[in-house]
Amino acid sequence: MWKTSRSGVRNNSSSSAVLVAAVLALAGVVSFDGLAAPDEDGKPFKRLVFDIGGELATEAPGIAVDGKRAAYSFKNEIVLLNIETGERMASHDLLGGQRAQGDVEACLLALKGTVVYARARYYTDPDRPPPDGGVGLVGGIEAGHTTVVSVDLASPDAKPAKLVSLPAGAKVADTLMGDQLVYTRGNKLHVHRVDAPDTGAVLKLNDRPIRRPLIQGDGALVVCDTSLYVYSKDGPRLEQVVYKDSPLAAMVNRKTLSVAKRGELVIGCTGSETVAFEPNGKKLWSAPFSGKIALGPKGEICVVSSMIHAVGLSPENGEPLWQQVFRHENWSGSNRLRGVDICDGRLAIVSERLICVLDPGTGKVLVDLPVDRDLKRDSYNIYQTLIRMTGSRGVLMVGFEESVYGLSLTPTAQVAAEWQLHDPANAESDIRAVSSLAENEQRKVLLRIGRNVRDTPGKVTRVMRLVDPHLRKDQSIVNAYCWVDDPMVLEALHKALSNEDVIKWYGTYVGTMLRCYPDQAAAEGVLRMILQQPDKYPVAARKVAAEHLRKKMKPDAGAEDLQLVYGVDDAQLAGVLKRKLASTDPADRKHALALLALAPDRVIVGLAGELKSLKKLDESGQARKLLAEATARQAAISRTGLKPEQAGSEGGNP
Amino acid sequence: MTTHRNRWLWCATSAAVVCFTAAGVCDAAEKRILWSVPTRGSKDAFAGLTVAEDVLLGVRGGALYAFEPETGRRLWRYPRKGADRTIWGSFVRCVVGNGTIATSLRTNITRTRSPYEGFLVIDLKTGELKDTVIHRKRFGFPDPPFEEFWGMRTPIQPPLAAIRAYDKANTRAQIMVVNVETWQEVCRFILDGTRVGTQLNARGSFVHGGYRRTGEPFRRAFSVDIENGKLYTYPMRCSIHTDGGAFVLPDDTLWLNNGRLSPKFAYLGQWRQSEWPRIYRNGVYERGLLGFSRLDLRDGRPLWRIPLGKRISVYALGSAECGGTVVFMENLFACAADARTGKMKLAVRTWRPGEPDPMKGKRFMPHEVMRSMLTATDGKRLFFSTPWGLHACRISPLDGEPNPADPADPAYTLARCRAALGKADYRQALRELEGIGFQVRVKPSARQDAAELLSQLSRSPAPMQYPDLWNGLLLSDGWVAGELFLPVYERAAAKDKSAALALVMVGTPRALKSAAGTGGILGAEAHEMLTGTEPAGTLLAGKEARLAAAYPLTDEQLGIAKSAPSRFGGLGRSSWYLSGRQWLMWAENVELRRDYTNYPAAARIQAEIEKRGVGDVEDIEIRRPKQQQF
């Protein structure tokens, strides 16, 4: 089920098999199952701590952690294990032997000691068996019978205690809010202690919740059709943020909306940007990045887009603090984002082709592990949880499709030097392997080089040069190596931006790659050159360049000047320009000439006398040029095929 | 008035950049916008606007609404209460006489049986239901009986309507001709073929339509003479445009997408290239490659043409004609022109790109907006429907001084653009200026101002900051500045032949010469414009012949055809101009690839038919009802 190799190459192709063999031969170690090797203390270092298979269900397997204990569930079976070793400690039946009609969908809400709180959804009516065996959505409603239970996994004979029973349609949050259960039913938000359903609050919502409540620290967020409800445990209080008729209007019916709450700041991703606002709806800032939001332990705002472009945003103004982009196999390669979360204080990103771990404060890549998995489920359903992630004790625990696995969060660079070659998240072995491979195989490896080489730049630069970036098919080098500060990457970028076809389809990618190039000044140099040569570069390339540089382009003239130049009062503009041109102060004359460059042609031509009278050589030269150009433009404008009497008609009357 | 003002304000605040948001525009002295009824997005928009006997009709949310054209006052709604979805679509509605209208009815929308398909006959003045005509109940089952599905695309051209029913496998269809004044069946006949999907037109003694005969890879236009039982069929050109259907001209000839035929399909010759022609009253209009034209019924020659820029989509042609005025939707504008001379009377901006759909929350793509936009006119007023509302706009001359308060005046657009430039909001400035070319067509005296502003804009940071918007503006509206951007166009046309349209729009000899040099269809058009009018005989003989002689199928075109991955990807618009010989050449090339099996055969048959110039005739059985049966 779990497939990964040191080179990250698919194991199911014959060519890849050769490649893997070569890599392993070079590495001189370990069997394929052995993503393990002894560490300095003699204990084996395992990147993949455990990997447990199960049956594919409607949602992802349930997982929960508490210290070194972890629990997972596949349907109605709950298992307790040691997260550091993967050792199985106990197991229990969620329903206590009760027979459900069809499958049981379980979600572990919390693990406290050995007691697990779980939500189970299943059919009980024998006359209404599930249509396909699963417990899915029927008409957009979570069908079946929902029960919240607690089970003490340490007591094998203990029966599950039924805490709450809910009818179909209830949307229960995937985790507890402290010791409180949060769910919506109809247009009401219910919050109460998990073991005391009669206490707590029932709050009316004026909008229709479209997803399960999202627990964020000491609060909960309820995403509705046209608004967002922010529930704070303190108080408690419930505030509604209405999108309509506000700068948040783009979030109306945004079913894929990702939201988070950071203190008094609510952050939401619309289709094209991240918006921060107060619970009263006041927009504070927006940033041109969109994706899934994850909040770091210190309130860091991380946004990860579907193309695995991660960006850290400043909470104050939304400015990007760091950016990272992760490789694709090729320009159009599928590397869809599956999950993003802060686990054990680190930003964990799981996609189809990689698992990476970043420091949410600095964006530093800690782990970059290529994976190759056969996905069982190709669709993406926003109403259901298809991946669950959590972390504890330096282990990232992921429940996804048919497996629950634990991955060591130890940064690659902190793995003992002598064992780094055995770490599948370390690209060192790939780099070593490259030179011994055939040319066509080299490219496959080169484009997968991860970021976890001890002295990355030098080595990667050397191997990167084995790829010829001038071949069109190899333009994906930009994708793979945009994080390497090397002129060759810029050259490849430049090449990509000159190619109309590439830009047409992958312009967004190229723009993102540019944002992540380490030497931003050099990247901007390339972009400025592109903007300054409109005849040479396609519009789409210039658009990419302009998007990147736009904020840094300051208007040439101040607000007053702009009002004057683009106003309709030619006489006033001419008067000001005349006065400045006649001034003895060179700064005034320079300013006048700068304004003239933006002024209407008729004003420039009207000032011909003043312009010709300029004495200083460079000023008179500039003035003459301006005058000649304006005259030529006026002449060109006067040559038109439109005659006033035609008024839009051509041809004769009937 | 207060009511309208409130409505207007609602509209302005609900969508931040909705059209005409400038404060006070509604109540400006000119009062260009007479009234508005806000709607909440594309799904809520009014469909099928029609003016009938001084009543404006529109379908919204499954209900039929009637408005007073002058004030926007709602006269009635059918059904009176509730969001009853008894009325479907907008394509079946007509005044059938005695002050009544007929609209489509369907009570069961599943793909099983739809037994209650029929017409509602509604009183135009009161909105009262006069009659309910259920096809099955009134006219009986298809005969001989088969598992039938009734077709909804049934336009009515009083006094006759043609209703079709088809079997589950959709391999044969029965067409029933009904007198809509008496609601009695006239006759019925069966066609062995599939996809009788085009609109059926019953006129005089003929029923026209299109279908695909069993075993044939292409569609046929058919014409049935219900008096003598003759079925005339004509294989339609095997291009992508064969789905458009056939239209009946006032002189009882049948208009196909790219040709004109007599009722009996004696081939008269090819008209100019055209796409989705529309017929209103006595005019035939088309949105061609170069603009919106009225065509001569006799030979398809344009009587006049309003030059327009690049078309967004075919939906742009939601047109209507009334009182000597033809209205149409084009790109961002709802336009009105004199039907006789083609003189533009009005061009009012309807929406702005990037405006969000209040229902969906996402931004509209142009084609989505265009799809839900419609126009209608009563001769004095232009009515247009957008996802944001139904609006009525006064059609009046725009002569005189510039009026920045009138949204139809170019001065309004220029003022908004200047205001945005003054704030260094270059994106907004470029957006504001989009479509200035339309407004200059209405008021040519504003051209100089617009050209000067474009010149100024070209020297501002806007083109560098928003190269895509600037490029779009240049290609669609840059012609306003005469030859100012000619070098830019020439460079663009060297890379992309479609950019030659901008050269044609500039229209000066130098620009036309440059356009002619680019080759292709636009080059041919420019060549024609440069060298003078074309002899009428050439037109009748088929423009393709001239093109084939002057611009033979190039190796490049053949190369494209060879690599055509699908039937849509090959020659594209060039196919309009292919001669029979060229069709064959292309077909052979495509055949080599064997990637679209039916296409070569269809092309060959098409070429053969064109050479012969006539269609096929056969006899079919026409059944007439016995008087006592119904």
Side-chain angles (χ1 to χ4, degrees), chain A residues 101-227:
Chain A
Q101 301 298 320
D103 289 343
V104 177
E105 192 65 60
C107 169
L108 305 191
L109 302 172
L111 177 65
K112 296 186 176 178
T114 57
V115 178
V116 69
Y117 293 90
R119 182 201 72 204
R121 193 157 65 87
Y122 53 96
Y123 291 104
T124 52
D125 185 353
D127 296 331
R128 291 186 60 201
D132 56 356
V135 189
L137 296 174
V138 178
I141 291 175
E142 293 188 9
H145 183 73
T146 301
T147 310
V148 177
V149 297
S150 69
V151 189
D152 187 353
L153 297 172
S155 313
D157 302 328
K159 287 264 180 191
K162 190 180 282 187
L163 303 175
V164 185
S165 187
L166 299 168
K171 295 182 172 76
V172 183
D174 277 348
T175 53
L176 293 184
M177 186 173 68
D179 60 351
Q180 292 189 311
L181 182 71
V182 181
Y183 63 93
T184 61
R185 191 183 156 205
N187 281 18
K188 286 178 181 166
L189 174 69
H190 299 252
V191 184
H192 59 72
R193 279 175 55 91
V194 66
D195 51 358
D198 298 333
T199 62
V202 179
L203 303 156
K204 189 165 184 256
L205 309 175
N206 296 321
D207 204 352
R208 187 177 69 99
I210 54 177
R211 295 216 307 260
R212 292 173 187 159
L214 181 69
I215 305 301
Q216 291 269 321
D218 58 349
L221 301 172
V222 185
V223 179
C224 299
D225 275 333
T226 59
S227 60

Side-chain angles (χ1 to χ4, degrees), chain B residues 345-403:
Chain B
K345 291 180 174 178
L346 184 73
V348 68
R349 193 162 181 154
T350 55
W351 69 291
R352 291 173 196 284
E355 204 164 336
D357 183 337
M359 289 290 273
K360 292 181 185 169
K362 69 182 176 71
R363 286 179 181 171
F364 272 121
M365 296 301 288
H367 68 270
E368 287 181 288
V369 178
M370 301 308 294
R371 189 174 293 167
S372 56
M373 281 184 161
L374 288 164
T375 50
T377 183
D378 62 355
K380 299 172 193 166
R381 285 164 286 262
L382 161 65
F383 308 101
F384 60 93
S385 168
T386 69
W388 302 275
L390 169 66
H391 310 279
C393 193
R394 189 167 57 84
I395 300 174
S396 64
L398 273 172
D399 305 332
E401 289 297 305
N403 180 4

Side-chain angles (χ1 to χ4, degrees), chain B residues 236-419:
Chain B
M236 294 168 79
R237 181 162 275 198
C238 52
S239 70
I240 59 171
H241 306 289
T242 51
D243 259 355
F247 301 86
V248 184
L249 302 184
D251 64 352
D252 280 349
T253 55
L254 179 71
W255 162 280
L256 297 179
N257 282 323
N258 52 356
R260 178 173 179 266
L261 304 163
S262 78
K264 296 183 181 179
F265 293 106
Y267 185 56
L268 296 179
Q270 201 73 20
W271 280 14
R272 296 171 71 89
Q273 67 91 21
S274 61
E275 194 174 339
W276 296 95
R278 301 292 161 103
I279 298 157
Y280 298 100
R281 307 280 167 126
N282 293 317
V284 179
Y285 300 91
E286 65 153 2
R287 171 57 164 104
L289 193 58
L290 294 176
F292 183 73
S293 310
R294 179 173 179 171
L295 307 179
D296 192 329
L297 287 178
R298 292 165 298 181
D299 56 11
R301 185 202 297 264
L303 297 171
W304 49 256
R305 181 170 63 204
I306 299 170
L308 300 172
K310 193 176 177 183
R311 169 184 48 216
I312 285 187
S313 72
V314 292
Y315 301 104
L317 199 65
S319 319
E321 184 201 322
C322 184
T325 299
V326 61
V327 293
F328 58 98
M329 194 72 91
E330 175 68 25
N331 207 340
L332 305 173
F333 288 85
C335 308
D338 189 306
R340 196 178 66 83
T341 63
K343 180 178 164 56
M344 286 271 281
K345 291 180 174 178
L346 184 73
V348 68
R349 193 162 181 154
T350 55
W351 69 291
R352 291 173 196 284
E355 204 164 336
D357 183 337
M359 289 290 273
K360 292 181 185 169
K362 69 182 176 71
R363 286 179 181 171
F364 272 121
M365 296 301 288
H367 68 270
E368 287 181 288
V369 178
M370 301 308 294
R371 189 174 293 167
S372 56
M373 281 184 161
L374 288 164
T375 50
T377 183
D378 62 355
K380 299 172 193 166
R381 285 164 286 262
L382 161 65
F383 308 101
F384 60 93
S385 168
T386 69
W388 302 275
L390 169 66
H391 310 279
C393 193
R394 189 167 57 84
I395 300 174
S396 64
L398 273 172
D399 305 332
E401 289 297 305
N403 180 4
D406 182 354
D409 195 310
Y412 171 81
T413 303
L414 298 182
R416 288 174 65 101
C417 176
R418 285 181 195 284

Side-chain angles (χ1 to χ4, degrees), chain A residues 234-352:
Chain A
D234 303 332
R237 60 198 164 99
L238 182 69
E239 288 176 273
Q240 185 186 16
V241 185
V242 180
Y243 306 143
K244 196 176 163 187
D245 300 339
S246 79
L248 310 173
M251 292 159 78
V252 172
N253 279 352
R254 180 66 65 180
K255 291 188 172 60
T256 53
L257 181 73
S258 174
V259 287
K261 185 168 176 284
R262 181 189 185 274
E264 285 303 301
L265 194 68
V266 185
I267 303 135
C269 277
T270 65
S272 58
E273 59 182 16
T274 301
V275 189
F277 48 95
E278 291 176 353
N280 60 16
K282 184 186 170 193
K283 183 177 171 181
L284 298 176
W285 51 257
S286 66
F289 307 99
S290 188
K292 287 182 187 292
I293 301 172
L295 294 183
K298 294 176 187 167
E300 300 97 334
I301 301 170
C302 307
V303 178
V304 184
S305 77
S306 56
M307 63 173 292
I308 327 296
H309 172 222
V311 56
L313 299 176
S314 160
E316 279 74 38
N317 53 20
E319 286 294 314
L321 301 173
W322 54 263
Q323 298 189 56
Q324 293 284 5
V325 67
F326 291 86
R327 64 197 173 279
H328 291 246
E329 287 182 9
N330 51 52
W331 288 100
S332 57
S334 176
N335 187 19
R336 279 174 295 181
L337 182 65
R338 291 293 170 179
V340 176
D341 210 345
I342 297 289
C343 301
D344 206 22
R346 289 155 200 184
L347 175 65
I349 302 169
V350 178
S351 81
E352 278 182 28

Side-chain angles (χ1 to χ4, degrees), chain B residues 43-45 58-65 77-79 82-89 104 120:
Chain B
K43 285 184 180 174
D44 189 44
V59 175
R60 176 190 180 192
L64 182 65
Y65 289 80
R77 175 189 190 269
Y78 181 84
D84 189 356
R85 286 198 170 267
T86 49
I87 295 173
W88 287 92
S104 57
L120 296 175

